Amino acid sequence: MAEFQKETLGSPLDGSPPTSVMQPFIEIDGVSKRFHLSRSDYVDALVDISFEIYRNEFVALVGPSGCGKSTLLRMIAGLDEPSDGVIKVGDDHPRELIAKQRVGMAMQEHGLMPWLDAVGNVSLPFRLAGLPIDPERVEELLELVKLSKFSNARPSQLSGGMKQRLSIARALVLQPDLLILDEPFGALDAVTRRMMNQELQRIWSRKPTTTVLVTHSLEEAVFLSDRILMMSPNPGTVISEYPVPLPRPRTLETSREKDFLSLVESVTARLDEICATELLS
Amino acid sequence: MNDILAYSRWCLGVVILILAWEITGNRGWLGSTWPPLSSIFDYLNSRPNLELLVRNAGVTGVNAVLGLLFGTLIGALLAILGFLIPRLYPGLSTFATFVNALPLIALGPLLIITVGEGATPVAIATLSVFFSFFVAAISGINQTTAIQRDVTIVFGASRWKKLRFVQLPAAVPRLFDGLKLGASAAVLGAILGEWFGSGSGLGVILVSAMQNFQIELLWSAALFGTLLTITGFVCISLIRIAFFRRYL
Ligand SMILES: Nc1ncnc2c1ncn2[C@@H]1O[C@H](COP(=O)(O)OP(=O)(O)OP(=O)(O)O)[C@@H](O)[C@H]1O
Ligand SMILES: [Mg+2]
């Protein structure tokens, strides 16, 4: 455990040796998940999935609806248990990382507390962790997501995009070792979504953090991630993997470049193919 | 704005009720045991009569407030215990339902010989309050959405911190509803407890007025009982408004 602490908090002086960078942070080994719908009926949401995610890597999980992306993400976050196989985060059970308050999460539904204002919501992780609230850190995060002016507004007084930004600020406030994002911008319009992608990219590039993002938007996946894992349904497995070698920081211009567009296109083609075979079977 | 509308509707309802009562009594539609409201006010216009009622309503009020306090505390404690130790919850819930199912009328004599006449009104008031508050607290604690609970888990909150910072604040509106229900249950319970043979209180007045056929006294006591309940309601509503202004 002490070793783990040292590794995650790391001293900035000794730099990060390449071995530690390429060392897997999340190990998913032969993971299956079966949901029992009734006594005799069940669905195999995921079957025999194995892959690794490296420290400070941004991975996007994409795939047709119902292929088990959220299920996988919940298990990585420690909210659910695999029926078979092992998930390790930093050499431990995901719940260990939760217990150390090193995980941040933002979902399609913001899950903000309606009785707290923006400051209160961003401070909530401190409270839940039993740590003294660091007002400067909270202020810094609100600034980062451009909500300083709304520090005393309640979620009901914010727009959809602002609420999502607030929930991302909340996820980041304790500087997590693992960031879990499930369709964080899924409920937003296309224009706002592009803006949010840019902001998330900017925030993330300032302090790279191991991130697993589930998204339906392949542009979003390419724009944000270092690697895309594509899943196929029935039963849910990872079938393709795409490295995203685009340099950072990425900007709106990046999303108009040829490399970007051709990658989006090939990923899209693959997804269409999966959906088509799915329809045929 | 909505408050004002609700309030004026409430006033209108009261006025209609009073008018209907007055006319019914005046015409003697329901016999001599249903006096017009004005004759009750005449009765209360005499100082000794008014003092008698105020004194006894005060006793009932204290019994009801104590019952509301204890009942709320017990209901809240059971709910919190049930949340912190989930394994206890089914047992607690069954226990609460069982206690609530005991007819208070049967419990009265039992209490008289166990806790004594003096404490019976508070005991019955407590019993009538705790269940509704327990139910309100349990349902309030579960008001959070699945995603709010997931987020709380992922942030590594202990059960206690989860309760303290997420589930309890989410429960507040329900808790106030439980308190409002409890207020009328407490007055009813206190009067019932006094009825069984206390030294003073509206329950005692009700029994003796009934036995001596003192119609005006009987109705006055009923009126004071109603006033107590309404006072309780208004107080809790005011606390609620103040609380929401301050925290929401
Ligand atoms: N709690 C549950 N109980 C039973 N079945 C479940 C449960 N959660 C998920 N499933 C099943 O697991 C499969 C995968 O669901 P999941 O939500 O992970 O898909 P998804 O890839 O996130 O889909 P979407 O893109 O639509 O969000 C589905 O067949 C679903 O019915
Ligand atoms: Mg999903």
Side-chain angles (χ1 to χ4, degrees):
Chain A
M1 181 178 144
E3 206 175 319
F4 174 77
Q5 285 280 341
K6 187 172 164 254
E7 204 186 344
T8 51
L9 300 175
S11 123
L13 287 178
D14 57 34
S16 18
T19 49
S20 126
V21 172
M22 288 318 285
Q23 193 184 1
F25 181 54
I26 303 174
E27 290 169 84
I28 293 167
D29 189 8
V31 165
S32 301
K33 180 69 183 181
R34 172 173 292 184
F35 287 110
H36 291 272
L37 303 173
S38 66
R39 197 164 290 183
S40 55
D41 214 11
Y42 60 80
V43 47
D44 283 318
L46 299 171
V47 171
D48 195 21
I49 293 191
S50 301
F51 63 87
E52 288 166 345
I53 293 176
Y54 299 99
R55 191 173 291 283
N56 296 344
E57 188 184 23
F58 194 127
V59 167
L61 282 177
V62 300
S65 180
C67 67
K69 303 181 295 291
S70 300
T71 304
L72 186 55
L73 202 62
R74 286 178 62 82
M75 294 193 298
I76 295 172
L79 286 169
D80 213 340
E81 289 289 320
S83 316
D84 203 3
V86 182
I87 296 184
K88 278 191 175 176
V89 181
D91 278 337
D92 263 324
H93 190 282
R95 266 204 306 269
E96 296 295 314
L97 204 65
I98 283 185
K100 288 180 203 148
Q101 288 114 11
R102 304 305 311 146
V103 185
M105 182 170 86
M107 316 286 263
Q108 175 163 359
E109 289 169 73
H110 52 77
L112 297 167
M113 308 301 159
W115 59 88
L116 295 174
D117 59 13
V119 169
N121 269 295
V122 177
S123 314
L124 188 68
F126 283 105
R127 289 219 149 99
L128 293 176
L131 299 168
I133 295 174
D134 178 351
E136 276 165 32
R137 174 77 185 149
V138 172
E139 185 52 40
E140 187 187 329
L141 255 296
L142 285 174
E143 212 156 285
L144 200 63
V145 298
K146 304 192 172 126
L147 283 175
S148 302
K149 266 198 212 151
F150 295 87
S151 32
N152 293 315
R154 296 190 192 281
S156 59
Q157 297 165 316
L158 300 175
S159 76
M162 290 156 111
K163 280 188 264 212
Q164 283 323 117
R165 293 208 298 259
L166 192 56
S167 102
I168 286 174
R170 179 179 64 177
L172 290 173
V173 74
L174 294 183
Q175 303 203 319
D177 293 333
L178 172 60
L179 183 60
I180 298 285
L181 303 172
D182 193 344
E183 284 283 345
F185 311 131
L188 304 179
D189 65 275
V191 178
T192 313
R193 190 167 184 153
R194 281 161 67 88
M195 293 296 132
M196 301 292 272
N197 283 341
Q198 255 193 292
E199 282 182 40
L200 179 58
Q201 202 276 146
R202 171 179 60 87
I203 292 168
W204 190 88
S205 302
R206 274 175 140 204
K207 187 184 180 303
T209 302
T210 314
T211 304
V212 191
L213 165 81
V214 163
T215 178
H216 279 123
S217 158
L218 301 178
E219 285 85 0
E220 184 170 289
V222 173
F223 187 76
L224 290 172
S225 72
D226 297 320
R227 184 156 56 111
I228 297 174
L229 296 176
M230 182 165 294
M231 296 177 64
S232 77
N234 298 324
T237 43
V238 175
I239 56 161
S240 311
E241 187 177 325
Y242 297 87
V244 183
L246 302 172
R248 293 179 190 269
R250 299 170 188 169
T251 59
L252 275 183
E253 281 73 56
T254 313
S255 65
R256 282 189 285 269
E257 277 163 18
K258 232 184 77 202
D259 288 351
F260 179 92
L261 293 172
S262 66
L263 187 50
V264 170
E265 200 179 288
S266 60
V267 178
T268 308
R270 183 76 179 106
L271 183 59
D272 286 348
E273 202 178 288
I274 293 169
C275 291
T277 46
E278 177 62 14
L279 281 178
L280 287 178
S281 63
Chain B
M1 189 58 219
N2 257 333
D3 283 356
I4 294 171
L5 202 71
Y7 181 70
S8 46
R9 276 206 204 119
W10 184 82
C11 286
L12 189 71
V14 169
V15 168
I16 290 175
L17 213 67
I18 287 174
L19 277 178
W21 186 342
E22 182 65 24
I23 294 169
T24 310
N26 233 326
R27 296 288 159 96
W29 282 337
L30 292 175
S32 61
T33 50
W34 191 291
L37 204 52
S38 51
S39 73
I40 295 168
F41 283 119
D42 276 347
Y43 175 84
L44 287 176
N45 209 2
S46 107
R47 196 169 176 125
N49 289 347
L50 187 64
E51 272 178 359
L52 176 76
L53 278 155
V54 168
R55 187 157 23 88
N56 284 284
V59 171
T60 304
V62 170
N63 285 336
V65 167
L66 288 177
L68 186 61
L69 212 69
F70 293 144
T72 304
L73 277 179
I74 295 173
L77 272 175
L78 289 185
I80 289 175
L81 212 62
F83 177 80
L84 290 179
I85 313 172
R87 260 187 230 177
L88 278 185
Y89 175 72
L92 286 173
S93 170
T94 313
F95 166 75
T97 313
F98 178 75
V99 172
N100 185 55
L102 284 172
L104 294 176
I105 250 352
L107 215 56
L110 261 174
L111 286 171
I112 298 260
I113 57 170
T114 49
V115 302
E117 280 174 8
T120 297
V122 175
I124 293 192
T126 303
L127 284 174
S128 351
V129 168
F130 100 97
F131 187 70
S132 58
F133 196 78
F134 174 72
V135 172
I138 287 291
S139 98
I141 282 174
N142 293 315
Q143 280 300 294
T144 45
T145 60
I147 163 77
Q148 285 172 332
R149 286 194 291 272
D150 283 350
V151 163
T152 314
I153 293 173
V154 166
F155 282 129
S158 65
R159 256 194 121 61
W160 165 249
K161 294 241 157 57
K162 195 172 161 188
L163 180 71
R164 164 72 183 79
F165 293 114
V166 179
Q167 315 277 102
L168 269 189
V172 167
R174 290 290 169 104
L175 295 185
F176 276 109
D177 289 346
L179 269 181
K180 275 190 182 172
L181 283 176
S184 51
V187 173
L188 199 68
I191 291 178
L192 191 65
E194 291 156 6
W195 178 288
F196 284 120
S198 193
S200 55
L202 288 178
V204 178
I205 302 260
L206 284 170
V207 177
S208 88
M210 182 184 70
Q211 283 165 352
N212 301 316
F213 213 68
Q214 293 165 287
I215 302 297
E216 275 86 8
L217 181 58
L218 191 57
W219 280 99
S220 305
L223 191 67
F224 270 78
T226 313
L227 285 180
L228 277 181
T229 307
I230 291 175
T231 312
F233 253 80
V234 170
C235 286
I236 289 164
S237 301
L238 289 179
I239 296 174
R240 183 196 164 114
I241 291 168
F243 185 91
F244 276 56
R245 285 247 170 88
R246 174 79 180 74
Y247 293 103
L248 285 186

